[in-house]
Amino acid sequence: MTTVLVVDDEPSVRKVVAAYLEREGFQVQTAADGLDGLLQAEAGGLALIVLDVMLPKVNGLDVCKRLRATTNVPIILLTARGEEFDRVLGLELGADDYVVKPFSPRELVARVKAILRRTSGEAAPLPVLYEGLRVDPVTRAASLAGQALDLSALEFDLLHELARAPGRVFTRNELIQRVWGEDFPGVDRVVDVHMVSLRRHLGESGQAPQFLHAVRGVGYRFGRLK
């Protein structure tokens, strides 16, 4: 199994990130401080490291610098919003990518997969194209008729999940499991709320939608029926 090390001093972050990575088939090691993370990384056997910048004992930037002297293992930095200096310095020190807190665990997993595909030479998944709509799972960007759509992380995940299977009907529970995760404690009404927001971004109403169709008593489908 591909092993990812998650280094963060917040137990909730370690738990959530590890759960999402394990769900995607990764083996996960965790560390609560920079020194432990550094020791685990130097022991080898890792495919990638998710590394918080603000860590006790040894901060993430110093960990990144020390690792780059001995290994090329990919590193994704976790930084707090507004810490632009840390992000720039981290990239200069050799980090491969960064994610700003608070973040979507699904987006972080997508970044992990993208980096591992790039380093392994594996082909990246193709964008979904449908009647002027473009949804790219690698760059996590969506556009309609060439105009970028300003979607939240959850809105993007929901749109991509629907768009890659046009004509298929998804129940609300299916969408919650695929987008929010099986451990999501909320109610299925959250899907309806995000669908309203997505329709607004796409410029369509519920009366004559081009892309997002409600299926009474069941859930939603994307596009025309096959």
Side-chain angles (χ1 to χ4, degrees):
M1 297 178 69
T2 302
T3 302
V4 176
L5 172 63
V6 179
V7 189
D8 197 293
D9 60 336
E10 298 181 48
S12 60
V13 172
R14 295 197 303 273
K15 181 179 179 181
V16 171
V17 172
Y20 273 80
L21 287 168
E22 288 169 351
R23 187 178 301 157
E24 295 297 321
F26 293 100
Q27 180 174 325
V28 180
Q29 297 175 200
T30 62
D33 61 70
L35 180 58
D36 186 20
L38 189 60
L39 293 174
Q40 291 192 49
E42 290 176 340
L46 300 175
L48 184 141
I49 301 170
V50 177
L51 178 65
D52 189 25
V53 170
M54 298 299 294
L55 290 170
K57 297 186 179 179
V58 182
N59 72 55
L61 295 178
D62 285 339
V63 172
C64 183
K65 181 179 180 180
R66 290 168 65 173
L67 288 177
R68 275 296 165 263
T70 59
T71 178
N72 289 322
V73 62
I75 297 172
I76 298 178
L77 291 178
L78 301 181
T79 72
R81 189 178 302 279
E83 293 179 342
E84 182 178 359
F85 174 77
D86 286 346
R87 297 198 295 272
V88 173
L89 182 56
L91 295 174
E92 290 178 345
L93 291 174
D96 297 82
D97 200 357
Y98 67 86
V99 174
V100 178
K101 292 182 174 180
F103 57 87
S104 159
R106 285 176 60 90
E107 178 179 1
L108 177 58
V109 172
R111 299 283 189 96
V112 169
K113 289 181 175 180
I115 290 176
L116 292 178
R117 276 195 302 268
R118 186 169 69 243
T119 56
S120 68
E122 179 183 345
L126 296 175
V128 176
L129 304 175
Y130 187 93
E131 296 185 358
L133 179 67
R134 188 178 193 273
V135 184
D136 191 332
V138 175
T139 62
R140 294 184 60 82
S143 62
L144 179 60
Q147 297 297 313
L149 301 176
D150 185 19
L151 304 181
S152 69
L154 281 171
E155 288 169 348
F156 179 88
D157 291 336
L158 182 58
L159 179 60
H160 181 249
E161 198 64 47
L162 288 160
R164 64 180 181 172
R168 176 182 170 180
V169 177
F170 289 87
T171 68
R172 289 174 177 82
N173 284 335
E174 280 182 308
L175 291 171
I176 285 176
Q177 290 179 11
R178 290 167 177 263
V179 176
W180 282 265
E182 296 178 358
D183 54 351
F184 177 68
V187 296
D188 59 7
R189 175 65 179 164
V190 70
V191 177
D192 300 327
V193 172
H194 280 77
M195 291 297 286
V196 170
S197 180
L198 271 177
R199 280 176 168 156
R200 184 169 61 251
H201 284 296
L202 294 170
E204 61 182 28
S205 68
Q207 300 300 317
Q210 178 182 1
F211 301 107
L212 304 174
H213 300 261
V215 180
R216 187 183 298 275
V218 182
Y220 294 92
R221 66 175 170 82
F222 178 93
R224 293 185 295 270
L225 290 172
K226 293 182 178 180

